[in-house]
């Protein structure tokens, strides 16, 4: 029983990171129909900012917000420089653009910083563990869980109570009608990218606080998993992205904990097979987007 509870805590911590990243992808997709595969590089940028802050002696409590702000600024610049000129082009053009942006940033990281993994100075507190009942919980995982809950509550408030959040929801439902009602496209899309950068930055801080290192490809695997989570939850659905992220986290952690040792090398294929089986029965995702209802044929 203790093992089950222990792995549940681990799954919630990992699933929370996937949920934040999947939300960032879903916010942009719901408005522009774009899967931004350069989203992972926003994570990497935040990680490098944390690294340089540590080298400069900046406290983690200051470095973490600076890393998140850097990810937001780069996300807005990314939209303005790379995606706005091709906004009216085909979906394939925007997809190729996102891959190009990701590759350019990866090359810049490798040549201007280092191609190798670099250590990030993490407060000693995050490396400790605390005992809750019979559970031994890492402070970094507890930090990830609390931060995820706070972010999801804040995002729910923003999307339902704040003007820009309501405008983004309206644009996600029907962008053409939203523009006719006076909502400015540039403002909404820039806000969506800023929000995606915020989510990527927070996810990066949580990710780096657990691994204490950063490398040019750090964001690739988490964002790939977040993309799977977004599809699992319902592509374009914000609530679905959260549900898909947590579900994928539970699948990965529980397979890692309970699969026999001889089967551990097949853990990733089994996880993907479970995702495929789920999509066979619910192709629209756990919580489908209202405007993106796939049809079986």
């Amino acid at each position: 029983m203790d093992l089950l509870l222990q792995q549940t805590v681990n799954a919630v911590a990992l699933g929370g990171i996937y949920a934040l990243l999947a939300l960032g992808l879903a916010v942009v997709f719901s408005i522009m129909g774009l899967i931004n595969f350069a989203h992972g590089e926003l994570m990497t940028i935040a990680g490098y900012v944390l690294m340089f802050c540590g080298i400069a002696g900046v406290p983690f409590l200051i470095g973490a917000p600076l890393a998140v702000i850097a990810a937001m600024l780069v996300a807005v610049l990314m939209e303005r420089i790379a995606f706005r000129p091709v906004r009216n082009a085909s979906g394939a053009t925007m997809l190729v653009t996102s891959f190009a942006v990701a590759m350019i940033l990866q090359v810049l990281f490798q040549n201007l910083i280092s191609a190798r993994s670099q250590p990030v100075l993490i407060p000693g507190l995050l490396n400790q563990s605390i005992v809750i009942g019979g559970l031994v919980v890492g402070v970094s995982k507890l930090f990830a869980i609390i931060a995820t809950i706070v972010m999801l509550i804040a995002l729910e408030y923003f999307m339902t109570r704040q003007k820009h959040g309501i405008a983004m929801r309206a644009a996600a439902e029907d962008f053409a009608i939203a523009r006719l009602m006076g909502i400015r496209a540039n403002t909404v899309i820039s806000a969506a990218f800023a929000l995606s950068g915020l989510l990527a930055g927070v996810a990066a801080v949580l990710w780096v606080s657990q691994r204490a290192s950063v490398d040019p490809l750090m964001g690739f695997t988490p964002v790939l998993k977040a993309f799977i989570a977004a599809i699992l939850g319902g592509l374009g659905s914000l609530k679905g992205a959260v549900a898909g992220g947590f579900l994928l986290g539970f699948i990965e952690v529980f397979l890692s904990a309970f699969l026999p040792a001889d089967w551990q090398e097949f853990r990733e294929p089994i996880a993907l097979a479970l995702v495929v089986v789920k999509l066979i029965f619910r192709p629209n995702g756990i919580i489908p987007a209202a405007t993106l209802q796939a049809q079986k044929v």
Side-chain angles (χ1 to χ4, degrees):
M1 188 63 181
D2 287 345
L3 177 61
L4 179 61
L5 291 175
Q6 187 76 59
Q7 297 306 324
T8 299
V9 171
N10 295 337
V12 171
L14 179 62
I17 296 175
Y18 288 161
L20 293 178
L21 291 171
L23 263 175
L25 292 174
V27 164
V28 173
F29 181 84
S30 64
I31 294 174
M32 292 186 64
L34 164 70
I35 295 295
N36 182 16
F37 282 102
H39 194 65
E41 278 53 55
L42 299 177
M43 275 189 74
T44 308
I45 287 169
Y48 279 123
V49 171
L50 271 179
M51 181 193 77
F52 286 120
C53 284
I55 293 174
V58 177
F60 185 82
L61 289 177
I62 297 176
L66 290 177
V68 174
I69 291 171
M72 293 176 66
L73 291 176
V74 173
V76 173
L77 288 174
M78 187 185 295
E79 185 277 327
R80 182 65 183 88
I81 297 171
F83 294 112
R84 189 173 296 185
V86 298
R87 183 185 300 168
N88 296 321
S90 67
T93 299
M94 289 196 294
L95 185 64
V96 170
T97 301
S98 75
F99 277 115
V101 172
M103 294 298 296
I104 290 170
L105 290 174
Q106 288 173 15
V107 171
L108 289 176
F109 296 149
Q110 291 170 359
N111 288 277
L112 298 180
I113 302 177
S114 175
R116 297 182 178 180
S117 179
Q118 299 295 310
V120 178
L121 185 62
I122 301 298
L125 176 65
L126 292 178
N127 296 321
Q128 297 177 7
S129 298
I130 60 175
V131 179
I132 303 176
L135 298 179
V136 179
V137 181
V139 174
S140 62
K141 287 185 169 56
L142 189 61
F143 171 57
I145 292 171
I146 294 173
T148 300
I149 292 172
V150 170
M151 281 298 301
L152 293 178
I153 292 173
L155 182 63
E156 175 69 17
Y157 177 82
F158 172 76
M159 297 298 284
T160 58
R161 302 292 181 87
Q162 296 297 312
K163 180 176 68 174
H164 290 297
I166 294 171
M168 289 170 60
R169 287 174 55 211
E173 290 292 331
D174 194 319
F175 203 0
I177 297 299
R179 294 183 69 178
L180 290 175
M181 297 297 292
I183 294 176
R184 296 182 178 181
N186 288 342
T187 301
V188 171
I189 293 174
S190 294
F193 270 86
L195 181 57
S196 73
L198 170 66
L199 294 167
V202 173
V205 172
L206 301 180
W207 190 262
V208 171
S209 68
Q210 296 183 39
R211 58 180 294 185
S213 65
V214 59
D215 62 79
L217 299 178
M218 182 189 81
F220 176 77
T221 298
V223 167
L224 181 61
K225 298 290 183 65
F227 175 55
I228 295 172
I231 295 176
L232 187 61
L235 195 58
S237 168
L238 302 187
K239 292 181 179 178
V242 175
F246 280 110
L247 179 58
L248 185 61
F250 271 86
I251 289 174
E252 288 194 357
V253 170
F254 276 49
L255 285 177
S256 178
F258 299 113
L259 268 182
D262 294 341
W263 286 77
Q264 284 296 324
E265 59 183 317
F266 304 109
R267 184 174 67 251
E268 293 289 338
I270 292 173
L272 291 175
L274 291 174
V275 170
V276 170
V277 169
K278 183 266 165 197
L279 290 174
I280 290 174
F281 292 99
R282 289 187 65 86
N284 295 322
I286 300 171
I287 307 174
T291 56
L292 293 171
Q293 296 289 341
Q295 300 292 329
K296 288 186 177 181
V297 294

